[in-house]
């Protein structure tokens, strides 16, 4: 995942290539950081806490019915 929100160009690319783009990860991470929770190491990569929080976000995202549509072949 990128650490920046999706741009309009990225959304268009996802749409035109039938790729599911997951929105809201950046905003969620920023919310957590605003609460004082450290989720990144010095080079910007997520630490253990960051990976856990994003995993929880994705579990909730897919539990809410967001699915990746694929070939049933």
């Amino acid at each position: 995942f990128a650490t920046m929100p999706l741009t309009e160009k990225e959304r268009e690319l996802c749409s035109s290539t039938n790729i599911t783009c997951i929105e809201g990860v950046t905003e969620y991470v920023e919310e957590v950081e605003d609460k004082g929770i450290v989720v990144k190491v010095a080079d910007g990569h997520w630490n253990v806490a960051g990976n856990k929080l994003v995993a929880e976000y994705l579990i909730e995202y897919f539990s809410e019915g967001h699915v990746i549509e694929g070939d049933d072949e």
Side-chain angles (χ1 to χ4, degrees), residues 32-72:
V32 171
E33 289 178 314
D34 287 347
K35 294 177 184 175
I37 300 170
V38 177
V39 297
K40 297 177 189 168
V41 293
D43 68 0
H45 287 89
W46 296 329
N47 62 17
V48 172
N51 280 293
K52 182 176 187 259
L53 288 165
V54 171
E56 291 169 354
Y57 177 89
L58 294 174
I59 289 168
E60 184 175 332
Y61 179 89
F62 289 113
S63 295
E64 291 175 351
H66 300 279
V67 295
I68 298 175
E69 295 180 22
D71 245 338
D72 290 334

